[in-house]
Amino acid sequence: MEKHLGINRQIHVLANCSTRKFNESFLDDDITGKQGGVLHFLLMRAGKQKIYQRDIEEHFGIRRSSVTSLLQKLKDNGYITRESVADDARLKLIVLTPKAMAFQKSVVQGTIDFEARMLQGVSEDEIATWQKVTQQMTRNLKDKKIGSDK
């Protein structure tokens, strides 16, 4: 079992490297990695579907308070606005500003190019296995609390 120690660290290193490199390539300096991930999520769906905070929470698997903070920073930096929904005062529609939309073309093509670069030398079978394994790991972590006293 010891030969598998460090997987969590490897996942963190990959996630941090991926986010940093993507943002360096396609976004301005006034945005953090996590904000860039959310902005990317919004840009990829722009004009295709309405996005609310709960959609971001579900997609990224992060808490409401974290998403609220991320969205507030994106709003403060001029990338989004939040509009009330007429039939449900609890919902706020997330709307991209022209500043954010200026990134759309480069982010869409950049995503394709970025993933192609990241997957160089990785076979289709290896990708399928990786996806299967990471999905199982995610299910494992969602199932129950971790720790000897939990």
Side-chain angles (χ1 to χ4, degrees), residues 106-117:
S106 69
V107 167
V108 171
Q109 185 57 49
T111 299
I112 294 165
D113 296 344
F114 188 81
E115 287 198 6
R117 169 78 171 136

Side-chain angles (χ1 to χ4, degrees), residues 1 3 5 10 25 28 35-36 39 41 45 48 51 58-61 72 76-77 79 106 108 112 120 137 140 148:
M1 186 68 175
K3 68 180 178 178
L5 293 177
Q10 289 176 313
S25 301
D28 281 347
Q35 292 166 16
L39 184 58
F41 173 80
R45 286 152 185 81
K48 299 175 190 163
I51 301 291
E58 291 171 10
H59 181 79
F60 290 96
Q72 186 59 48
D76 292 347
N77 286 334
Y79 290 101
S106 69
V108 171
I112 294 165
Q120 282 181 336
M137 289 175 171
N140 292 345
S148 58

